[in-house]
Amino acid sequence: MTDQPEPPVLVRVGGGLGSLTLNRPRVVNALDDDMVGRIRGALDAWEHDPDVDAVLIDGAGDRGFCAGGDVRGLAGDVSGGRIDDVARFFRAEYALNARIAAYPKPLVALADGITMGGGVGLAGHAAIRIVTERSQLAMPETRIGFTPDVGGTWLLGRAPGRLGEYLALTGATMDAADAIYAGFADHFVRAENLDGLRDALRAGATASTLSGLVRRFEEVPAPSKLERARAWIDDAFAADTVAGIVERLRAAGATRALGERERGEASASADELEMLSPTGLAVTLASVRRARELPDLRAVLEQEYALVLWFVATQPDLPEGIRAQVVDKDRTPHWQPATIADLSPDAAAIALAYVPETPLWA
């Protein structure tokens, strides 16, 4: 008799706490459609359950909470022409993102370790978002010729100054202090104290006592590097176009008005942007700025859904980016167009005008 494999999401109830543990540690708990369905099913079951006062979501293993979605599977669906399957997955995932944000019971997310893409979609919209000294948060979609989604542009659009544009375009990774400063997290708890926090939550946390309980374990993180970099980030990423941003970054890298470290960071950001998909960058810039004007998360998810399906249905950069960064790992994607200078000035407008065959909130 063979042992049954563990489910990809561990669902438990005890002490008034519903616990959801992403359970695919070998792939840093990468999110697939089965996991989305299991999480949604548990939240639906617990909404009116008198034995559940709060919900905790975390990830198994030491590497991270969730590295994002299954991009290999996405590439296979795109190359195989299974666009309906792709759209179905994103509708389910985005419905879950909205469900988490509006959940009537307090939901605590432990974004320990790698938390990127789809992982931000789970943790970033929770009522109480906890990071540790091991946390690495990012929306790195432009690195595969894609654009931030899962409600990421809702968070990015509301980050201080022009940090949203910077984080979205470069895919830069935030540590705990950066995540709190940028509005992606709320509390810093050392990883060694997470088990104590879990035990305290299971001992009987309620909606009225939850915040105070978390504060018992909270510490003050080191100063945010993003906050120190605001001067050159805000100036460069306020430019109207990606080309303008790169031009300002080059100027910042050469000016004596900044310190050596800041000049180096600005120049490195310009180098990074010139290596990424021009189409992905232009659409992402427009998406973040438009998200800043949209009224709520559901509206932002609707915009992201249309953009994602535009990439899936029309853009060769997405499968090429996944091939270069994830499958072959040669790190030499061949973008179409190849450079920012070659990009059509109306690329972002075309993307934003795309209407999916099946709406998100059907």
Side-chain angles (χ1 to χ4, degrees):
M1 183 175 179
T2 59
D3 292 335
Q4 292 294 320
E6 285 193 327
V9 179
L10 304 179
V11 181
R12 295 153 293 179
V13 175
L17 184 72
S19 296
L20 296 165
T21 298
L22 309 183
N23 192 36
R24 298 177 70 206
R26 294 177 68 178
V27 290
V28 199
N29 304 311
L31 198 62
D32 62 18
D33 53 357
D34 184 22
M35 297 169 73
V36 169
R38 289 171 185 263
I39 297 168
R40 180 64 186 264
L43 293 178
D44 289 347
W46 291 339
E47 180 174 356
H48 302 292
D49 187 340
D51 293 328
V52 176
D53 296 312
V55 176
L56 171 69
I57 183 167
D58 60 7
D62 296 327
R63 296 170 63 194
F65 170 67
C66 176
D70 180 5
V71 294
R72 285 176 178 264
L74 173 62
D77 286 341
V78 172
S79 62
R82 296 183 291 274
I83 306 303
D84 289 345
D85 291 342
V86 174
R88 191 177 303 111
F89 170 75
F90 282 117
R91 286 197 298 273
E93 185 180 22
Y94 295 179
L96 176 59
N97 302 144
R99 182 83 161 114
I100 288 171
Y103 201 62
K105 296 181 179 181
L107 197 155
V108 181
L110 303 185
D112 181 33
I114 296 171
T115 304
M116 298 186 179
V120 172
L122 296 179
H125 306 304
I128 297 177
R129 305 164 300 174
I130 295 170
V131 286
T132 76
E133 74 279 6
R134 304 188 300 198
S135 292
Q136 302 173 58
L137 279 73
M139 297 299 296
E141 288 79 5
T142 57
R143 297 184 183 182
I144 58 168
F146 204 28
T147 190
D149 65 329
V150 297
T153 59
W154 173 256
L155 301 171
L156 291 161
R158 282 148 186 81
R162 298 294 179 170
L163 291 183
E165 285 95 331
Y166 166 76
L167 292 167
L169 269 63
T170 65
T173 299
M174 296 175 276
D175 62 15
D178 291 337
I180 292 171
Y181 179 71
F184 281 68
D186 306 301
H187 305 281
F188 173 71
V189 175
R190 294 194 179 278
E192 64 188 23
N193 294 324
L194 290 180
D195 284 342
L197 174 59
R198 291 186 183 96
D199 290 342
L201 292 171
R202 294 185 183 115
T206 65
S208 61
T209 63
L210 196 58
S211 294
L213 190 154
V214 170
R215 283 196 293 271
R216 283 170 39 197
F217 294 86
E218 183 178 20
E219 298 184 35
V220 177
S224 165
K225 297 185 292 295
L226 285 180
E227 184 175 10
R228 294 199 302 265
R230 279 282 304 279
W232 66 264
I233 288 176
D234 285 358
D235 176 70
F237 285 84
D240 291 338
T241 64
V242 176
I245 289 172
V246 172
E247 182 179 350
R248 291 191 186 187
L249 287 170
R250 293 295 182 206
T255 182
R256 292 295 180 181
L258 296 175
E260 182 178 355
R261 182 183 63 193
E262 289 78 11
R263 294 198 302 271
E265 290 172 345
S267 295
S269 294
D271 293 341
E272 179 74 18
L273 294 185
E274 290 183 332
M275 294 172 59
L276 299 177
S277 161
T279 302
L281 292 174
V283 173
T284 295
L285 180 62
S287 176
V288 171
R289 290 181 172 173
R290 190 172 174 188
R292 198 172 275 139
E293 307 302 323
L294 292 174
D296 53 34
L297 176 61
R298 287 176 66 89
V300 168
L301 286 165
E302 190 170 23
Q303 171 176 279
E304 292 174 348
Y305 174 72
L307 291 176
V308 162
L309 291 189
W310 179 78
F311 273 95
V312 168
T314 71
Q315 295 302 298
D317 281 2
L318 175 56
E320 171 61 9
I322 295 174
R323 179 206 64 76
Q325 302 294 351
V326 180
V327 180
D328 296 340
K329 298 183 179 180
D330 58 26
R331 315 299 187 206
T332 56
H334 301 287
W335 306 124
Q336 301 180 41
T339 70
I340 295 169
D342 295 331
L343 184 67
S344 170
D346 59 355
I350 291 172
L352 287 169
Y354 183 78
V355 178
E357 183 176 335
T358 302
L360 174 58
W361 309 117

